[in-house]
Amino acid sequence: MTGFSLRYPWPNLDPDDVAAAAIAVRLEVTEHKVEVAEHQHRKGQLVFALGGGVMCRVPTGLWMVPPHCGVWIPGGMRHTNIATANARILFVFIEPGAAALPDKCCTLSISPLLRELMIELSDRGRDDAVRETLLTQMLLSELPRMPVQQLHLPISEEPRLRRIATELAEDPSDRSTQAEWAARVALSESSLARLVLRETGLTFGRWRQQLYLIVALSELSGGASVQQVSADLGYESVTAFITMFRKALGKPPAKYLSDIARDRGAAFVV
């Protein structure tokens, strides 16, 4: 995990080798953005951002880890994690069958109680087995109760759609029209529209907007300003970006993140 600083008393950690129903690991990212190579675990993995922005990429989609949520990745699923500079991340690895959790990747809203349980478990040493067992039991009981949120970009294995998603993720400021994207992947505009709708359940415009929201929340959580994010996404004005954000999430960016900060006791720069 180049670029990560592991904060746990086990060097060279392989979570699948640890005989525990659940273990929690805290990571700190260096000053540079980091993407971990695609991999998989036997255990399921919950990815939670204590600070900064984190995204998870799986074969079926791109998932944002908002400051108040965690992304659940079932065991055996290929994935990669992308973290902004100076992000602080908490991974919770859970044995298959240890808790009644979804068999598909999803975003879970994390309660303040569960957040504190995960942090406390990550601070436990292996010399406090009784305390660790109690924390694990409480965590595994609380986690399945968390509501599922829908903040991800659906992606299928269809190669033309994956190409568009990859290129947009690498350069979200690209404001090419649907017709221009269709030409790039050798489709008619109507064929591309049908393809995106069939594979994702969204129109092309709504699908691309979902990507903008994921990128925006990742950058804002990492400390970028609204003005900077608006420019990075290719909006002609900050007002246009704020309008899009408010229509999609019900609040302008500053209000959305300040409410999260208030509810979760975290601080974000907007």
Side-chain angles (χ1 to χ4, degrees):
M1 289 189 178
T2 302
F4 281 116
S5 172
L6 183 65
R7 292 184 59 196
Y8 205 81
W10 303 334
N12 303 317
L13 173 71
D14 183 345
D16 287 343
D17 291 341
V18 179
I23 60 172
V25 178
R26 272 198 271 179
L27 303 171
E28 292 188 354
V29 180
T30 60
E31 65 273 15
H32 302 295
K33 180 179 178 181
V34 171
E35 178 169 2
V36 177
E38 187 176 74
H39 61 287
Q40 63 186 45
H41 314 283
R42 179 179 56 79
K43 296 176 185 280
Q45 180 180 12
L46 183 72
V47 182
F48 183 75
L50 294 167
V54 187
M55 288 187 288
C56 302
R57 183 182 287 125
V58 301
T60 57
L62 185 65
W63 298 79
M64 172 62 195
V65 187
H68 61 301
C69 295
V71 169
W72 168 247
I73 304 171
M77 178 174 286
R78 302 192 327 272
H79 64 280
T80 180
N81 300 310
I82 308 160
T84 60
N86 301 315
R88 294 181 296 115
I89 312 168
L90 197 154
F91 291 157
V92 180
F93 298 97
I94 298 175
E95 278 287 338
L101 292 165
D103 59 1
K104 297 180 180 179
C105 195
C106 62
T107 303
L108 300 174
S109 183
I110 302 298
S111 69
L113 171 61
L114 183 56
R115 178 183 185 273
E116 294 307 313
L117 285 171
M118 293 189 299
I119 292 174
E120 182 67 15
L121 184 61
S122 73
D123 287 338
R124 291 291 102 190
R126 304 304 297 171
D127 58 346
D128 195 353
V130 174
R131 174 70 170 166
E132 185 173 18
T133 298
L134 179 60
L135 287 169
T136 298
Q137 291 174 345
M138 293 173 65
L139 185 151
L140 295 177
S141 175
E142 183 74 4
L143 185 56
R145 301 177 184 176
M146 298 297 100
V148 175
Q149 304 293 325
Q150 298 298 327
L151 189 56
H152 79 289
L153 182 74
I155 304 172
S156 74
E157 295 289 353
E158 211 289 328
R160 291 164 295 188
L161 191 60
R162 292 193 72 84
R163 175 186 166 185
I164 296 173
T166 299
E167 292 185 13
L168 273 174
E170 291 176 351
D171 182 16
S173 65
D174 187 335
R175 307 299 289 190
S176 298
T177 65
Q178 179 175 278
E180 289 168 335
W181 277 111
R184 291 187 196 180
V185 294
L187 288 172
S188 68
E189 184 176 0
S190 59
S191 294
L192 176 59
R194 288 193 297 269
L195 175 66
V196 175
L197 186 61
R198 183 182 73 240
E199 296 291 330
T200 71
L202 302 172
T203 65
F204 181 85
R206 182 67 187 87
W207 182 69
R208 180 164 58 180
Q209 183 188 82
Q210 191 75 354
L211 174 71
Y212 291 159
L213 288 171
I214 290 171
V215 173
L217 282 170
S218 176
E219 292 191 3
L220 290 167
S221 299
S225 68
V226 172
Q227 291 78 7
Q228 180 182 336
V229 174
S230 174
D232 289 346
L233 295 180
Y235 278 86
E236 294 182 356
S237 70
V238 174
T239 300
F241 166 69
I242 292 175
T243 298
M244 180 280 292
F245 193 102
R246 183 173 57 240
K247 286 182 177 179
L249 297 179
K251 303 173 184 177
K255 176 66 173 171
Y256 184 88
L257 291 182
S258 66
D259 284 353
I260 292 172
R262 183 196 63 218
D263 293 343
R264 304 303 178 190
F268 300 92
V269 178
V270 182

